Amino acid sequence: EQRGGNSLCYAKSEEKHPITSDEIFEQILNRCIQLRLEPGQLISENQMSAEYGVSRSVIRTAFTRLRQLGFIEIYPQRGTYVSLMDLSYIADLLMLRTAVEKEVLYEIFTELGEAERSQMLERLRENLKEQEKYRDEEDYFGRFPELDAEFHKIMIDSVSRSAMMQMLDSLMLHLSRWRNFDVAFDNRVPQLIAEHKKIFEAIEEGDIQKAQDRMGEHLETITAIADRATTKYPTYFKNG
């Protein structure tokens, strides 16, 4: 499915065809998020109906949902394209995610009792030990992404904010696509582990400002690579 010689290496396609329209939608969405359907790639109802062995109407329904989520763009007389990554929009989402997680940290420091915080820290410590086992993963499709998500979830769940995060789920899918690009682009798993450790250590030290600063540094992922990324993969990104 790759279009050019400069493509990053992403996960393999599913071997089994889905049975329901919901599963088809989920699979196409995942292919967009994992960049196996690349930003700017032309796709069609005919192509997808042949791939999945279903009618065009089923694919049309999936495309409608994908368009609503902002993962495809449909141009009359031109065709359907996987949406480009918009670094300005991603920056806004990262700011939103950072604000939420800084608030979670504030609540950890102001609302959790000592025993509850110790229990949370122990879970984070065990998670970090597991992360170390996967520091050599070069992309974001192995075991590490689950541990990365779990690291943040442990903190979010400790102050009962999982429902709030679920409200942002559809928006955060775009961050997932960016993270898949970002991690593979610079083989960043070791750096992410180091950043997680800094967040953990700041919480353990009882320094709320330091913990929030480390979280902000961890989640702001655009500045360091934007110019290089858009130069190497110009067809992936919106201009301006």
Side-chain angles (χ1 to χ4, degrees):
E1 295 176 17
Q2 305 295 354
R3 296 177 301 166
N6 66 341
S7 297
L8 297 174
C9 180
Y10 297 106
K12 294 179 180 178
S13 300
E14 298 87 353
E15 292 183 359
K16 293 182 179 178
H17 285 196
I19 351 175
T20 70
S21 57
D22 284 343
E23 287 174 326
I24 290 172
F25 161 73
E26 290 289 344
Q27 284 199 15
I28 298 175
L29 173 63
N30 286 334
R31 289 166 70 183
C32 292
I33 291 172
Q34 294 178 355
L35 291 96
R36 289 184 287 105
L37 291 174
E38 298 178 23
Q41 182 173 340
L42 175 65
I43 57 178
S44 71
E45 291 177 7
N46 286 338
Q47 167 201 346
M48 290 297 175
S49 64
E51 277 191 42
Y52 289 108
V54 296
S55 68
R56 286 180 57 189
S57 64
V58 173
I59 300 300
R60 192 173 301 121
T61 299
F63 277 12
T64 298
R65 295 172 68 182
L66 290 164
R67 186 183 188 184
Q68 289 169 346
L69 287 175
F71 278 97
I72 66 170
E73 296 179 10
I74 301 172
Y75 299 99
Q77 313 305 320
R78 285 178 52 197
T80 299
Y81 295 82
V82 178
S83 64
L84 300 178
M85 287 189 281
D86 182 341
L87 289 180
S88 177
Y89 181 60
I90 293 166
D92 288 344
L93 292 177
L94 287 168
M95 180 178 287
L96 178 60
R97 176 71 185 265
T98 300
V100 168
E101 297 229 19
K102 283 185 175 181
E103 177 62 24
V104 164
L105 285 167
Y106 176 79
E107 293 185 359
I108 285 171
F109 277 86
T110 59
E111 297 186 13
L112 284 190
E114 187 175 336
E116 293 171 308
R117 198 188 306 178
S118 295
Q119 185 179 35
M120 182 202 68
L121 283 167
E122 184 55 35
R123 292 185 64 200
L124 290 176
R125 188 180 289 109
E126 290 302 313
N127 175 275
L128 285 168
K129 286 180 184 176
E130 282 296 305
Q131 288 184 36
E132 283 292 347
K133 298 177 184 178
Y134 302 96
R135 67 163 44 246
D136 293 331
E137 289 184 0
E138 293 185 355
D139 55 34
Y140 205 59
F141 298 105
R143 167 78 170 126
F144 181 77
E146 297 173 24
L147 294 167
D148 185 359
E150 183 185 78
F151 180 81
H152 291 269
K153 190 173 186 298
I154 288 168
M155 290 181 280
I156 292 163
D157 288 351
S158 74
V159 290
S160 303
R161 290 298 184 186
S162 57
M164 178 176 64
M165 292 304 298
Q166 287 171 8
M167 296 175 195
L168 303 176
D169 274 354
S170 62
L171 294 175
M172 293 304 148
L173 292 172
H174 290 275
L175 284 189
S176 296
R177 181 165 70 154
W178 166 251
R179 177 54 64 91
N180 287 332
F181 176 87
D182 163 47
V183 174
F185 184 76
D186 266 351
N187 296 337
R188 284 207 325 115
V189 170
Q191 182 182 341
L192 294 180
I193 294 173
E195 290 169 357
H196 287 159
K197 285 182 176 178
K198 288 179 181 178
I199 295 167
F200 170 84
E201 288 164 359
I203 298 173
E204 192 174 41
E205 292 166 14
D207 190 332
I208 183 172
Q209 187 61 55
K210 187 176 179 181
Q212 291 179 324
D213 288 347
R214 295 296 176 265
M215 182 65 78
E217 292 163 6
H218 172 59
L219 293 175
E220 204 295 291
T221 57
I222 289 181
T223 305
I225 74 165
D227 289 343
R228 288 184 295 119
T230 53
T231 298
K232 189 169 182 179
Y233 296 92
T235 60
Y236 278 17
F237 298 96
K238 283 188 176 179
N239 295 321

